[in-house]
Amino acid sequence: MKVETLEDVLFPGLDLVVQRAVILDDGMMIDASGCGPPGVCPQCHPAARIHSRYWRQIAGLPVGSRRLIVVLRVRRFFCDQDRCRRRTFVEQVAGLTEPRRRSSTAARSAMRVVAVELGGRPGARLCTKLRLYGRRTTILGQLTAPPVPARAPRILGIDESALRKGHTYGTVLVDIESSRPVDVLPDRETGTVAAWLQEHPGAEIIRRDRLMAFTKAIRQAAPDAPEVADRWHLLQNLSTAVEKTCRRHRECLRRPAASEIIPPSVTRETPLLDRIRRRHAEVNELAATGLSLNAIGRRLRLDRKTVRRYRNKGLAGLLASAQDRGHGLLDPFVEHVQHRFQAGCTSSMQLYREVLALGYTGGYHVVNRYVAAMRKGIAIPARALTPSPRDITSWIMRPEDTLSPLDIAQLATVRNACPEIASACDLAREFTDMLRHRRGHQLRDWIQKAELDGPDAIGIFADSIRQDLQAVTAGLTSSYSSGMVEGHVNRIKTIKRQMYGRASFALLRSHILLRS
């Protein structure tokens, strides 16, 4: 049986000679020296003359449960080439050392894996437990992005991704055939994307988001590559148009019966409605002077999002939302409250306890406000429960065979109550049928029908398709899917939430490309 030396166990195949091994309290120190051939100058030829020797400390992979430090004696050589700008250089032990590195090649590979999976501080804590010499900055320093191929993939996917939602957006480029990210760009500007396409030619088909900047960039840098619109974004845009239609016509679903109509003489003014009118007037008056949202918020002591809502939303919509607030939770129990009130129970707290037992999930103030209205004789009868615009949109966009009998019945009620929503439903289902069965040749007829007979939001969607007709037609015909592009966009969101939300773009880009 062959007896293996310490070099064979710890450093197999390396040009090292181990002089001694010292066991310390929490580690192991190895004294070693290089024994390979004369070094090679990084800029010219091999050298033979030794200038000097010195010691380097290299952190290696742990041995058992002990840290490993290699105290390595290396040689410095003269470079005898007159034209070489280096006068001396240090030998490197292949597989163990690299210039200006204090960790071994194997240890840095382990730290790179830790950095990719965990990030900075969590990775540093794990390295401490694994007996690796790795601080947060050292670990993150191992994340270097791989080189980008000189040529673009044959089928290239382009989509935007939020680096900071609502503020900064980047561009993700994905190889559709291999489902791997190719590169990440710091913004979504036309010039940036066009420059990348010019530097990396070779894309034969480009599947893209419907952002106009991407369209312009492709036409500038790769005019011969056919564009294919992303089907997922087409469905998303259509869904948004359907939901807008449902919101605009939700009053059709709330029309009360003749017995429920409140006389015009009855007032429903409340302090809340007065405050909404006053704030709406103040915000729009200041916005007309050119003040920013933050400046208006500081002056009126309102949150920026509140200021934006008052500026962008009409007064009628704000008042309607305020009147609906909380009352919808009580609607299923209004009949019980009215019956008990007429029976002589006029205590708001008692009625609140009773509806809680029946499953009410709202607050006491909603019950108290309704009981006070009944005392004054101005209580509003409970409206029939109506589905939300989002629920209606879901029933319209989903395949009919996935809907429950209750969903089908509710959608039929909505269609009967509002012709505009019925028209949007028919047009949306016709479009999704074209998309799912790849019937792009029917798109022109659908656009004409939507622009002539469809609701306003659907007409706007159809007009946007007409402006991008060739790419959308290809999207409804081609078999290639850009689902993996959206998958990488979602993966970037996960990476940001886990550890890289505040990282620099270079670090985030390296992590995205290394984890592919």
Side-chain angles (χ1 to χ4, degrees), residues 57-87:
Q57 287 194 2
I58 306 297
L61 290 174
V63 177
S65 60
R66 297 179 180 275
R67 298 178 185 269
L68 176 64
I69 291 292
V70 180
V71 182
L72 181 64
R73 193 182 188 191
V74 294
R75 297 168 290 182
R76 182 179 290 276
F77 291 90
F78 284 106
C79 182
D80 294 327
Q81 296 293 326
D82 295 335
R83 296 182 179 180
C84 183
R85 301 178 65 179
R86 290 177 178 266
R87 289 290 172 242

Side-chain angles (χ1 to χ4, degrees), residues 333-479:
F333 311 97
V334 163
E335 186 177 353
H336 173 82
V337 173
Q338 290 176 343
H339 175 74
R340 293 286 291 133
F341 186 86
Q342 293 171 2
C345 180
T346 58
S347 170
S348 300
M349 182 55 69
Q350 177 60 31
L351 293 172
Y352 172 64
R353 294 194 185 101
E354 292 181 8
V355 295
L356 276 181
L358 295 175
Y360 173 66
T361 58
Y364 165 75
H365 68 283
V366 178
V367 179
N368 183 55
R369 187 167 63 238
Y370 191 79
V371 172
M374 284 196 296
R375 292 194 185 103
K376 297 177 182 178
I378 60 173
I380 306 171
R383 294 183 302 235
L385 295 179
T386 58
S388 68
R390 184 165 295 181
D391 288 338
I392 300 173
T393 303
S394 173
W395 300 334
I396 293 174
M397 297 301 298
R398 285 160 51 193
E400 276 191 272
D401 55 1
T402 65
L403 299 179
S404 66
L406 178 61
D407 294 340
I408 295 174
Q410 288 182 304
L411 180 58
T413 302
V414 170
R415 288 173 58 94
N416 293 332
C418 182
E420 292 290 323
I421 295 180
S423 174
C425 177
D426 294 337
L427 289 169
R429 285 185 167 175
E430 185 177 346
F431 185 88
T432 54
D433 184 70
M434 280 193 302
L435 184 142
R436 293 188 177 108
H437 296 92
R438 306 292 187 272
R439 297 171 182 166
H441 61 279
Q442 300 176 353
L443 183 59
R444 290 180 182 273
D445 295 337
W446 184 90
I447 292 175
Q448 185 176 6
K449 184 188 303 183
E451 291 178 337
L452 291 177
D453 304 327
D456 292 341
I458 303 294
I460 294 173
F461 170 71
D463 182 65
S464 69
I465 290 180
R466 184 182 293 279
Q467 297 176 17
D468 197 18
L469 183 60
Q470 187 174 359
V472 175
T473 303
L476 298 185
T477 307
S478 171
S479 59

Side-chain angles (χ1 to χ4, degrees), residues 192-469:
T192 305
V193 179
W196 192 94
L197 292 174
Q198 290 174 345
E199 294 171 2
H200 304 82
E204 299 179 9
I205 301 174
I206 300 179
R207 296 196 67 94
R208 57 166 175 80
D209 184 5
R210 299 192 64 218
L211 192 67
M212 186 56 65
F214 295 157
T215 304
K216 294 179 180 178
I218 295 170
R219 291 172 182 172
Q220 289 179 14
D224 297 332
E227 303 174 47
V228 181
D230 177 13
R231 289 192 289 271
W232 186 89
H233 282 97
L234 288 171
L235 286 179
Q236 183 192 42
N237 296 340
L238 176 60
S239 177
T240 302
V242 171
E243 186 172 351
K244 285 182 180 179
T245 302
C246 296
R247 291 189 183 280
R248 290 175 183 174
H249 296 275
R250 60 182 176 180
E251 291 301 326
C252 298
L253 311 178
R254 296 176 173 178
R255 289 170 184 164
S259 61
E260 299 177 350
I261 297 177
I262 301 173
S265 59
V266 177
T267 178
R268 286 187 268 171
E269 290 298 322
T270 63
L272 175 61
L273 300 183
D274 291 338
R275 185 167 66 249
I276 289 175
R277 288 190 179 93
R278 185 177 66 254
R279 283 183 176 175
H280 183 268
E282 292 173 346
V283 168
N284 283 275
E285 182 180 350
L286 293 175
T289 64
L291 287 179
S292 64
L293 296 180
N294 290 331
I296 297 174
R298 286 192 297 268
R299 182 169 298 187
L300 300 179
R301 296 184 179 180
L302 296 175
D303 184 75
R304 184 178 185 276
K305 295 179 181 178
T306 304
V307 175
R308 182 171 57 191
R309 186 172 70 252
Y310 275 98
R311 187 195 66 178
N312 296 342
K313 198 169 184 180
L315 179 59
L318 293 171
L319 295 176
S321 299
Q323 289 171 339
D324 291 342
R325 191 178 304 167
H327 188 263
L329 295 174
L330 188 60
D331 281 346
F333 311 97
V334 163
E335 186 177 353
H336 173 82
V337 173
Q338 290 176 343
H339 175 74
R340 293 286 291 133
F341 186 86
Q342 293 171 2
C345 180
T346 58
S347 170
S348 300
M349 182 55 69
Q350 177 60 31
L351 293 172
Y352 172 64
R353 294 194 185 101
E354 292 181 8
V355 295
L356 276 181
L358 295 175
Y360 173 66
T361 58
Y364 165 75
H365 68 283
V366 178
V367 179
N368 183 55
R369 187 167 63 238
Y370 191 79
V371 172
M374 284 196 296
R375 292 194 185 103
K376 297 177 182 178
I378 60 173
I380 306 171
R383 294 183 302 235
L385 295 179
T386 58
S388 68
R390 184 165 295 181
D391 288 338
I392 300 173
T393 303
S394 173
W395 300 334
I396 293 174
M397 297 301 298
R398 285 160 51 193
E400 276 191 272
D401 55 1
T402 65
L403 299 179
S404 66
L406 178 61
D407 294 340
I408 295 174
Q410 288 182 304
L411 180 58
T413 302
V414 170
R415 288 173 58 94
N416 293 332
C418 182
E420 292 290 323
I421 295 180
S423 174
C425 177
D426 294 337
L427 289 169
R429 285 185 167 175
E430 185 177 346
F431 185 88
T432 54
D433 184 70
M434 280 193 302
L435 184 142
R436 293 188 177 108
H437 296 92
R438 306 292 187 272
R439 297 171 182 166
H441 61 279
Q442 300 176 353
L443 183 59
R444 290 180 182 273
D445 295 337
W446 184 90
I447 292 175
Q448 185 176 6
K449 184 188 303 183
E451 291 178 337
L452 291 177
D453 304 327
D456 292 341
I458 303 294
I460 294 173
F461 170 71
D463 182 65
S464 69
I465 290 180
R466 184 182 293 279
Q467 297 176 17
D468 197 18
L469 183 60

